[in-house]
Amino acid sequence: MDSKRRGFFKTLSPYKDRDESAVEPIRLPYHHDPLLFESVCVTCESKPCATVCDENIIMITQDGSPALDLSKRGCTYCEECAKACDRGVLDPNIQDKQIKAQVSLNIGKCIAWDQVICSSCADVCYDKAIKFLGMLRPEIVQENCTNCGFCIGVCPTEAIEISAKR
């Protein structure tokens, strides 16, 4: 599906206006303690993690800590943010490198579940974490999902959601 058609479907979606302020931030990968973002990152003046991200998905929250904005792009797990962190919050050598989040599919918003052929989410999923029951009805295979977020921004109806987990 091309971007013009995807944009058209987004304009029809009743879910386009979300209140992001009430949502817990999605933290960067490569960390072992989410509380360090709230205690150490807020004192970091240079925010090197945000400046080195090629995908431009690291934003600085109101409290001054970094978080991921996966609404348009996803994380490639390139480790550049972890290498740039000089405060010890991010570590590229940590064993559990994944983004600590849960990706889910809201079938009430998904146009494929309404018999419209759409595979935007599966097309960008390198990890084959989205499978279809027939040509329609996608579902997320959690064991394969790395929470990278590439599927989120391409969904024309914002049916793929992500929430932080500690």
Side-chain angles (χ1 to χ4, degrees):
M1 184 180 288
D2 69 358
S3 63
K4 284 184 183 179
R5 196 170 346 156
R6 188 175 301 119
F8 171 73
F9 281 122
K10 278 189 177 186
T11 64
L12 299 176
S13 173
Y15 305 101
K16 60 183 171 236
D17 297 319
R18 292 190 247 178
D19 179 15
E20 300 294 334
S21 62
V23 178
E24 185 173 342
I26 307 295
R27 297 302 186 182
L28 285 60
Y30 313 108
H31 75 276
H32 61 89
D33 184 357
L35 296 176
L36 290 177
F37 285 97
E38 297 158 14
S39 60
V40 176
C41 292
V42 295
T43 63
C44 177
E45 303 245 343
S46 62
K47 311 292 188 218
C49 59
T51 60
V52 298
C53 181
D54 284 341
E55 296 297 324
N56 202 26
I57 58 171
I58 301 174
M59 63 170 192
I60 305 304
T61 63
Q62 287 182 333
D63 72 358
S65 64
L68 295 176
D69 175 5
L70 301 171
S71 63
K72 294 185 178 41
R73 303 279 307 145
C75 178
T76 61
Y77 291 98
C78 68
E79 299 183 358
E80 293 304 316
C81 59
K83 291 174 187 173
C85 178
D86 57 4
R87 299 284 182 115
V89 176
L90 304 177
D91 179 3
N93 299 315
I94 194 168
Q95 190 166 359
D96 181 14
K97 299 176 187 224
Q98 282 196 354
I99 297 167
K100 290 162 182 56
Q102 177 75 40
V103 176
S104 59
L105 176 69
N106 183 330
I107 63 173
K109 295 180 185 180
C110 180
I111 60 175
W113 277 81
D114 281 333
Q115 310 305 310
V116 175
I117 296 176
C118 178
S119 61
S120 296
C121 56
D123 292 344
V124 297
C125 185
Y126 297 115
D127 302 302
K128 305 294 182 220
I130 300 173
K131 72 173 188 173
F132 282 79
L133 304 170
M135 287 183 62
L136 304 171
R137 301 189 337 205
E139 57 185 32
I140 297 172
V141 181
Q142 294 299 330
E143 302 82 54
N144 297 350
C145 184
T146 62
N147 306 317
C148 69
F150 277 102
C151 58
I152 296 168
V154 298
C155 179
T157 60
E158 298 181 1
I160 300 178
E161 302 165 349
I162 189 166
S163 58
K165 68 179 183 183
R166 288 189 180 240

